[in-house]
Amino acid sequence: MNARILVIEDTPNNMYLMTYLLQAHSHTVTPAASGEEALALARASRPDLVVMDLQLPGIDGYQTLAAMRAEPGLREVPVVAVTSFALVGDRDRILNAGFDHYVAKPIDPATFTDEIDAYLPQLLRSSVPN
Amino acid sequence: MGLPVEAVLPGGLRPVDAGQVGACVVMSAVHEDGTAIPVEVSLSALETTTSGRLTMAAVRDISDRKHIEHLLQHNVSELERASRVKNNLLASMSHELRTPLNAILGFTGTLLMKLPGPLNAEQEHQLHLVKASGVHLLSIINDLLDLAQIESGKVQIVLVPVDCRAVVDAVVQSLEPLAETHHVTLHVEGPEVPVSATADKRALSQIVVNLVNNAIKFAEGSQVRIRLTLQESGDRIQISVHDTGPGIPETDLDRIFCAFERSAATAKATDEGTGLGLHISQKLAELMNSTVTVASVVGEGSTFAISLATC
């Protein structure tokens, strides 16, 4: 069993990295380069989890989260912020905004997928690559 | 001058009534050159034996004061703007420096995890060097941003009772793995009962982390002792970190607290350091009305300590 994960990230290198890691752990990744695009994709097909950068072109990560939480169909989807905002206080600000989890960039590729997995239903957690 | 108050009041203003005796009013007046100037009119009452109650009015030209007030107000808003820009700059710097590191450390990691395929020994060795340098660069960025936050007054220091023993135990626990890789054992000595000192918990933890971290690097293969000492009077507690490293020559003792300064005698042992740990620790100690002190004997080791008021 694998999960369908929507990844919102506007930096191509970082999108490639997260996609690569999640796919290596046998998840299916849908990429989105903006909050608007992500919302349209999420409405068309509800993801099991959303991984989201916060600084995005157009609406930012906070606004994208708020839009998801306001929609009955998307309200329950776990959302993990993956961000380069990592000054003192940023973590609390992000969790208080309603994100389920916070991962600071640079991510640790050895632990990234496990951290994401913790927010997926047991059945959808990844199989470890060989 | 020498004219009644009404003579210098511009038209449309009523003379001040008796109810405002003792008051001080700012109004506009006409200067003898015909221009309007701000004046402060203060009234005081005088009782006389012959004419009953008299009111004395003092009219002061406050053009200069108003001008200075205006300048000050302008400077304050300029400063507020500069401080906002600086804070935004810090947040942007943090973001812009971390974003490329994400790809550097991330793909080095995937290669080392051999996700794309096998590596030969030389490739693996070189990638480990890339990773170590990337991690080092990240810690310099983190320390520089920490320092910038401290210097811009953005670090909130909340002085509350903090259990020093608990802070030390937590730090030791988090640094055990590092100590193991350096074949160093960590010993905590002192009262096992809670001893509260007035401190900021996060700042104190960061200082103790920095001191123990340094000590581990210098004590390669031996031990680091972290000691809590309650002063006899009971009003101060000292947390000291002792290593049995190479020690620091007396001439270098002041320099090591400066940013990017290292003692030549110990430079090798601090290759992996950022050169900012002691500088940041001292700044944080100052914010808690304390200082980090050092005593060292070349060939025997060094002791760094911070003393705090108990509560």
Side-chain angles (χ1 to χ4, degrees):
Chain A
M1 196 70 185
N2 62 5
R4 292 171 322 122
I5 300 180
L6 176 60
V7 180
I8 317 173
E9 166 67 65
D10 63 326
T11 308
N13 283 344
N14 292 335
M15 173 64 90
Y16 172 30
L17 176 62
M18 287 193 283
T19 306
Y20 185 81
L21 284 168
L22 292 169
Q23 285 174 344
H25 286 248
S26 65
H27 292 309
T28 304
V29 173
T30 307
S34 72
E36 290 88 342
E37 186 189 350
L39 287 172
L41 288 166
R43 284 177 194 127
S45 170
R46 184 186 184 277
D48 297 311
L49 183 140
V50 174
V51 170
M52 193 190 289
D53 187 15
L54 293 183
Q55 195 178 58
L56 295 166
I59 62 169
D60 66 14
Y62 291 103
Q63 290 167 303
T64 309
L65 176 76
M68 286 182 62
R69 297 291 195 236
E71 284 191 35
L74 300 176
R75 186 171 293 154
E76 307 293 328
V77 178
V79 182
V80 177
V82 180
T83 173
S84 290
F85 288 112
L87 292 179
V88 175
D90 283 340
R91 180 192 188 85
D92 290 344
R93 193 170 311 125
I94 289 162
L95 293 179
N96 286 340
F99 286 93
D100 293 279
H101 187 56
Y102 160 89
V103 181
K105 286 181 192 167
I107 61 169
D108 180 350
T111 58
F112 179 70
T113 314
D114 288 342
E115 275 195 75
I116 302 295
D117 265 6
Y119 293 86
L120 282 169
Q122 190 74 45
L123 264 177
L124 296 177
R125 290 183 189 169
S126 63
S127 41
V128 178
N130 297 312
Chain B
M1 291 298 134
L3 296 168
V5 175
E6 289 83 346
V8 295
L9 290 178
L13 283 177
R14 277 177 289 112
V16 180
D17 68 32
Q20 281 180 286
V21 166
C24 187
V25 196
V26 174
M27 50 179 64
S28 185
V30 185
H31 193 261
E32 50 182 9
D33 65 10
T35 57
I37 55 165
V39 293
E40 183 184 77
V41 182
S42 47
L43 304 173
S44 46
L46 291 172
E47 294 290 343
T48 65
T49 44
T50 51
S51 328
R53 194 168 167 185
L54 292 179
T55 303
M56 187 171 79
V59 182
R60 185 177 297 126
D61 177 353
I62 56 167
S63 305
D64 287 348
R65 196 178 84 193
K66 280 281 164 197
H67 180 63
I68 289 165
E69 275 176 14
H70 176 77
L71 281 181
L72 280 176
Q73 212 152 31
H74 177 73
N75 285 346
V76 166
S77 51
E78 273 296 297
L79 280 175
E80 281 170 353
R81 200 186 60 83
S83 157
R84 260 201 316 277
V85 168
K86 193 171 174 188
N87 284 342
N88 289 344
L89 184 72
L90 276 182
S92 303
M93 253 174 62
S94 164
H95 192 270
E96 297 312 309
L97 292 170
R98 280 166 184 279
T99 299
L101 262 184
N102 194 47
I104 295 171
L105 285 172
F107 289 114
T108 309
T110 56
L111 288 167
L112 281 170
M113 287 158 77
K114 302 182 178 118
L115 290 178
L119 296 170
N120 67 37
E122 201 63 36
Q123 288 169 334
E124 190 162 354
H125 172 66
Q126 292 178 4
L127 282 169
H128 273 294
L129 295 180
V130 176
K131 183 182 173 182
S133 298
V135 168
H136 188 193
L137 180 58
L138 176 63
S139 45
I140 294 177
I141 290 170
N142 285 340
D143 278 359
L144 275 176
L145 289 169
D146 258 5
L147 189 61
Q149 281 189 292
I150 293 170
E151 295 202 328
S152 66
K154 234 192 143 192
V155 170
Q156 297 249 322
I157 295 291
V158 187
L159 295 177
V160 291
V162 173
D163 177 4
C164 294
R165 176 78 197 202
V167 167
V168 166
D169 285 344
V171 169
V172 165
Q173 200 188 354
S174 73
L175 291 177
E176 276 305 349
L178 179 75
E180 266 174 45
T181 63
H182 286 265
H183 311 289
V184 167
T185 48
L186 303 176
H187 294 281
V188 183
E189 301 165 5
E192 282 185 29
V193 291
V195 182
S196 287
T198 307
D200 178 276
K201 193 175 175 189
R202 202 189 76 85
L204 181 61
S205 296
Q206 197 175 345
I207 293 170
V208 179
V209 164
N210 284 339
L211 297 183
V212 177
N213 214 336
N214 281 347
I216 289 173
K217 283 180 279 183
F218 293 129
E220 190 75 46
S222 74
Q223 56 167 308
V224 169
R225 289 202 315 272
I226 301 114
R227 188 177 291 155
L228 291 103
T229 320
L230 197 59
Q231 238 180 31
E232 255 177 56
S233 56
D235 56 3
R236 289 196 83 78
I237 180 163
Q238 191 186 58
I239 303 174
S240 63
V241 179
H242 177 71
D243 69 67
T244 47
I248 305 160
E250 204 175 335
T251 46
D252 285 350
L253 284 181
D254 285 337
R255 230 154 49 84
I256 55 171
F257 288 99
C258 299
F260 298 121
E261 289 280 357
R262 287 169 185 160
S263 168
T266 57
K268 197 176 173 302
T270 57
D271 270 354
E272 57 195 277
T274 63
L276 286 166
L278 280 177
H279 185 61
I280 289 174
S281 299
Q282 192 63 284
K283 294 257 171 193
L284 289 172
E286 282 165 15
L287 290 177
M288 295 192 295
N289 312 314
S290 181
T291 44
V292 176
T293 55
V294 57
S296 189
V297 179
V298 173
E300 289 181 20
S302 310
T303 305
F304 287 83
I306 179 168
S307 153
L308 297 159
T310 53
C311 58

